Amino acid sequence: MNRKKEKIVKKIGTLVILSMLIVTNIVFFVSSDIEQSETSVGRYSLIPHSPISINSDEDFVTYGFQGNGTADNPYIIEGLNITTVQNLGIGISFTTKFFIIRNCHVEAGNNGITISSVADGTASIVNNTCINTPMGIVLSRTSFSIISNNTCLNNEMGILVDRSPFTLISNNKCIDNKSEGIKLTYSDSSVISDNEITKSEYGIYTSESPFLTITNNTCYKNTYSVLLRYSPFSTINNNTCTNNKDGIKVIYSRSVLLTDNTCNFNERAILIVYDSQNPALTQPGNVILRNNYCANNNLGIWLEDADHSILSNNRCYKNNKGIYLLQSSYSTVTNNTCNDNDQGLVLDNSGVIPVVNNSFYNNNRSIVIYNSGSTTLTNNTLIKGGIAVWDNSWQGYLSQRFTKDSNWVNDRLVGYFTELNDRSFNASVYGQLFFIKCKNITVSNQNFTDVTTGIFLAYSESCRVENSLFAENVWGTYLDHTLSTTLTNNSYKNNNYGILLRDSDSNILTYNLFEENEQYGVYLYAASSNNLIHHNAFINNNPEGTSQAYDAGVDNSWYLKRKGNYWSDYEKGDYLIDGIANSTDRHPLTDIPTASTPLSSVFIVSVIILACIVSLRSSVRMRKKTTKL
């Protein structure tokens, strides 16, 4: 960290410490009174009372409230039942005396309790109930105040703090408020802690309020649980957000620290959105996410336009997407754990990112890198799920940095090879193989099981994959902009897709077995042309569809010399193949073809062993595999 950043951090730290000390002093002067209060207004025999309106220090004397207005002996408004159709239940403004409003029940036509423009540090609102009122508690233009242990029920808004910095909002219950449970605007350096917010449109909403601390709150069944807007340099710590649409959402707020939050069963658990196109936002996101737990959400952690962010030691379990970075470059992803997600970590147009020491278990796609150049992968461990890489140019593929012999999938190395020529791979060293801009590569006698893609070839040509086994992967073999490559004598079983070709021409697929793949055995993307597919066996693929293969390309042929492929669902005539190419196999085979080259003994044994394993797994579980093509 350079000296300038160190100075900024020190200033921020000093300001936060100062604010906490001041708030602590406020708590001290009212502590004896608060501790003596009961926690429930309903336990008091409340006195019916008309609305209270105080607009000067003298009004406290006029109403005859206990106390003399000093810090040691504040005026106390206590034990009242104010139920009125008038706009205001209790209103205090333009005073300099210390006062406490506590243990009151308030229902009013507009605002339950309103404090406005009173002297700093003089107001405490403790253990009241505000119910069936448009605005439960309102604090305006008043600093160093306390709003604690109140219940705001069935209001339009529970608690509103406006232009009131250094406010402590703690241990309140905000339930069934239609709009916001707690709303903070233009109130920097405030603390929102230990509150319970349920069934509101916004649980906690902040705007234009930097240097906030939001900690130990529980948010349940809100639409938006915690929303931080234009509130930089804030801390969101140890909150629990469950069954909301959004758990924690930070927008247009840079340098925010999120630690030790738990977000479960939300549509989106943690979202960080920093609009880099907004001319008012000249600095990068600089968000830190550490030790957060996100489970059973659609989205676990989502960063968008949040450059220079840090994600470390987060745990994302059983989400659709665990961690997703969109246009958030120059960030770091270290020591995170992503288990049982569809996609563990996704980098989408987010380049120059170190991905180091992360752990992935049982994801369909553990790491997805999409148009995110100069990503560095080091010391990552993947079990039952692998890596997927896509880019729109060969330069993007070549810019990736997979640290050699340091990333592992299913206890075998991940091999990422670029610009390699005239090499053969016939030993089972790699759990996944990537070949980028390679030529004359031969891969044989391999077993690729339970990864994202067994073999991925991009911008390569004249390669050969043979006598290998691909099972329970998302894609068995994936060809991207690859030419004149032969895939022969391989077995594709129980994958999502067997073989997929994207913008790949003049390839040969022959004598392969495609059996019980959830989608198509072979999928030809648009712009894949002049490929030759013959003498393959298609058995029980895409059982919910009308065809076992898909062709959206141009001039692909599904037979050679009046010999096509074997289709287990073939009845008569031509075999119709799905896709806009309207391709057909005009010469379907009636028997499973036998390869002209004998199968290796290793391959045969592997097929037998795999068949036993697959049958056992299928009997105890069904894996859901969704695919982004």
Side-chain angles (χ1 to χ4, degrees), residues 162-174:
D162 178 55
R163 291 171 171 81
S164 300
F166 297 97
T167 299
L168 174 62
I169 307 168
S170 67
N171 292 293
N172 301 284
K173 291 185 177 181
C174 299

Side-chain angles (χ1 to χ4, degrees), residues 21-307:
L21 288 173
I22 295 172
V23 170
T24 301
N25 288 332
I26 297 172
V27 174
F28 176 76
F29 90 77
V30 297
S31 61
S32 60
D33 291 303
I34 293 176
E35 287 172 1
Q36 293 171 6
S37 300
E38 297 291 339
T39 58
S40 173
V41 174
R43 296 179 65 180
Y44 284 81
S45 177
L46 301 181
I47 301 171
H49 200 283
S50 60
I52 295 170
S53 179
I54 295 175
N55 298 295
S56 67
D57 291 342
E58 290 74 18
D59 288 342
F60 286 113
V61 178
T62 301
Y63 275 99
F65 294 125
Q66 177 186 347
N68 62 12
T70 64
D72 294 331
N73 189 19
Y75 289 113
I76 296 177
I77 303 171
E78 180 176 28
L80 306 179
N81 181 350
I82 301 175
T83 301
T84 179
V85 295
Q86 296 184 29
N87 284 337
L88 185 60
I90 299 175
I92 301 176
S93 60
F94 305 111
T95 62
T96 63
K97 300 298 183 179
F98 289 85
F99 64 89
I100 300 174
I101 303 172
R102 71 184 183 196
N103 303 322
C104 294
H105 176 97
V106 183
E107 296 184 51
N110 193 9
N111 292 2
I113 298 174
T114 296
I115 310 299
S116 176
S117 301
V118 303
D120 292 349
T122 61
S124 296
I125 305 170
V126 181
N127 206 46
N128 303 282
T129 296
C130 296
I131 185 171
N132 299 326
T133 300
M135 308 286 283
I137 296 173
V138 178
L139 184 70
S140 175
R141 301 181 185 275
T142 300
S143 302
F144 299 101
S145 302
I146 292 175
I147 302 174
S148 181
N149 290 94
N150 301 283
T151 298
C152 296
L153 175 65
N154 201 34
N155 306 288
E156 185 68 28
M157 183 185 301
I159 297 172
L160 171 62
V161 176
D162 178 55
R163 291 171 171 81
S164 300
F166 297 97
T167 299
L168 174 62
I169 307 168
S170 67
N171 292 293
N172 301 284
K173 291 185 177 181
C174 299
I175 303 169
D176 283 314
N177 299 287
K178 296 181 179 61
S179 181
E180 291 90 354
I182 297 173
K183 183 175 182 179
L184 215 71
T185 57
Y186 301 99
S187 300
D188 61 273
S189 306
S190 295
V191 177
I192 305 173
S193 70
D194 299 284
N195 301 284
E196 179 184 327
I197 306 101
T198 304
K199 296 181 181 179
S200 298
E201 178 72 12
Y202 296 91
I204 298 172
Y205 178 98
T206 77
S207 179
E208 307 286 352
S209 301
F211 302 105
L212 299 178
T213 298
I214 302 174
T215 183
N216 294 318
N217 301 285
T218 300
C219 300
Y220 178 71
K221 285 191 175 180
N222 305 285
T223 303
Y224 305 97
S225 178
V226 178
L227 176 58
L228 201 73
R229 184 176 182 271
Y230 290 111
S231 301
F233 307 109
S234 295
T235 297
I236 303 175
N237 168 257
N238 205 39
N239 301 283
T240 300
C241 302
T242 308
N243 285 107
N244 309 280
K245 180 179 179 181
D246 287 349
I248 298 172
K249 186 173 183 179
V250 177
I251 58 175
Y252 317 140
S253 303
R254 65 188 181 91
S255 301
V256 174
L257 173 65
L258 294 94
T259 65
D260 299 288
N261 300 286
T262 298
C263 298
N264 297 337
F265 297 100
N266 306 283
E267 177 66 20
R268 302 178 296 187
I270 298 177
L271 291 86
I272 312 296
V273 179
Y274 185 86
D275 187 0
S276 61
Q277 304 302 314
N278 189 331
L281 303 174
T282 58
Q283 302 296 324
N286 287 327
V287 176
I288 298 175
L289 296 101
R290 186 170 60 237
N291 296 326
N292 299 288
Y293 180 82
C294 302
N296 295 291
N297 309 282
N298 183 26
L299 297 177
I301 297 174
W302 175 285
L303 271 68
E304 183 174 345
D305 286 318
D307 291 350

Side-chain angles (χ1 to χ4, degrees), residues 287-574:
V287 176
I288 298 175
L289 296 101
R290 186 170 60 237
N291 296 326
N292 299 288
Y293 180 82
C294 302
N296 295 291
N297 309 282
N298 183 26
L299 297 177
I301 297 174
W302 175 285
L303 271 68
E304 183 174 345
D305 286 318
D307 291 350
H308 299 280
S309 295
I310 297 173
L311 296 91
S312 66
N313 295 98
N314 300 288
R315 293 172 295 156
C316 296
Y317 298 160
K318 297 183 179 180
N319 307 285
N320 184 13
K321 295 177 176 63
I323 299 174
Y324 201 113
L325 275 68
L326 175 62
Q327 297 174 353
S328 299
S329 299
Y330 307 102
S331 300
T332 62
V333 181
T334 60
N335 296 301
N336 301 283
T337 301
C338 297
N339 295 347
D340 297 297
N341 308 283
D342 178 51
Q343 300 178 55
L345 167 65
V346 181
L347 306 180
D348 188 346
N349 287 273
S350 300
V352 199
I353 293 182
V355 180
V356 182
N357 292 328
N358 301 284
S359 176
F360 302 88
Y361 175 79
N362 201 36
N363 306 283
N364 281 334
R365 284 160 282 182
S366 292
I367 301 176
V368 178
I369 303 171
Y370 182 76
N371 283 340
S372 299
S374 301
T375 298
T376 301
L377 269 64
T378 305
N379 293 329
N380 298 288
T381 300
L382 301 83
I383 302 294
K384 293 185 179 180
I387 300 172
V389 183
W390 292 281
D391 208 284
N392 289 330
S393 69
W394 60 266
Q395 293 91 339
Y397 281 115
L398 291 181
S399 72
Q400 306 300 338
R401 297 289 180 264
F402 284 51
T403 303
K404 185 179 179 182
D405 297 343
S406 73
N407 298 290
W408 296 81
V409 56
N410 297 335
D411 296 320
R412 291 192 289 170
L413 290 170
V414 176
Y416 195 92
F417 299 97
T418 60
E419 299 183 298
L420 188 68
N421 297 328
D422 304 311
R423 288 283 301 274
S424 294
F425 293 79
N426 53 24
S428 296
V429 175
Y430 298 99
Q432 279 187 277
L433 281 169
F434 295 84
F435 297 103
I436 312 301
K437 219 167 184 293
C438 295
K439 188 175 182 179
N440 293 326
I441 301 297
T442 298
V443 180
S444 60
N445 301 314
Q446 302 290 314
N447 182 340
F448 300 99
T449 304
D450 222 337
V451 295
T452 303
T453 306
I455 295 178
F456 185 92
L457 295 101
Y459 295 91
S460 297
E461 61 177 300
S462 302
C463 298
R464 186 177 181 89
V465 178
E466 62 184 8
N467 295 337
S468 294
L469 182 63
F470 302 84
E472 297 195 352
N473 311 295
V474 179
W475 300 278
T477 304
Y478 197 120
L479 274 59
D480 181 14
H481 289 83
T482 290
L483 309 174
S484 305
T485 289
T486 299
L487 309 177
T488 183
N489 214 29
N490 303 293
S491 178
Y492 297 88
K493 185 175 178 65
N494 279 90
N495 306 282
N496 199 341
Y497 290 81
I499 296 173
L500 189 143
L501 274 64
R502 174 175 177 255
D503 297 325
S504 296
D505 305 333
S506 304
N507 301 288
I508 298 174
L509 284 63
T510 186
Y511 291 105
N512 299 289
L513 171 64
F514 302 96
E515 186 173 5
E516 296 182 355
N517 298 287
E518 290 188 17
Q519 301 296 325
Y520 297 103
V522 173
Y523 190 106
L524 304 182
Y525 236 123
S528 291
S529 62
N530 297 305
N531 297 286
L532 181 59
I533 306 102
H534 66 91
H535 284 89
N536 301 285
F538 292 83
I539 302 173
N540 299 331
N541 304 281
N542 192 27
E544 302 299 322
T546 58
S547 174
Q548 299 190 59
Y550 186 95
D551 187 355
V554 179
D555 295 329
N556 298 298
S557 179
W558 292 82
Y559 56 89
L560 175 67
K561 296 181 179 179
R562 302 178 68 84
K563 298 289 185 180
N565 303 274
Y566 173 82
W567 310 89
S568 60
D569 56 344
Y570 171 70
E571 295 180 353
K572 62 180 180 179
D574 295 348

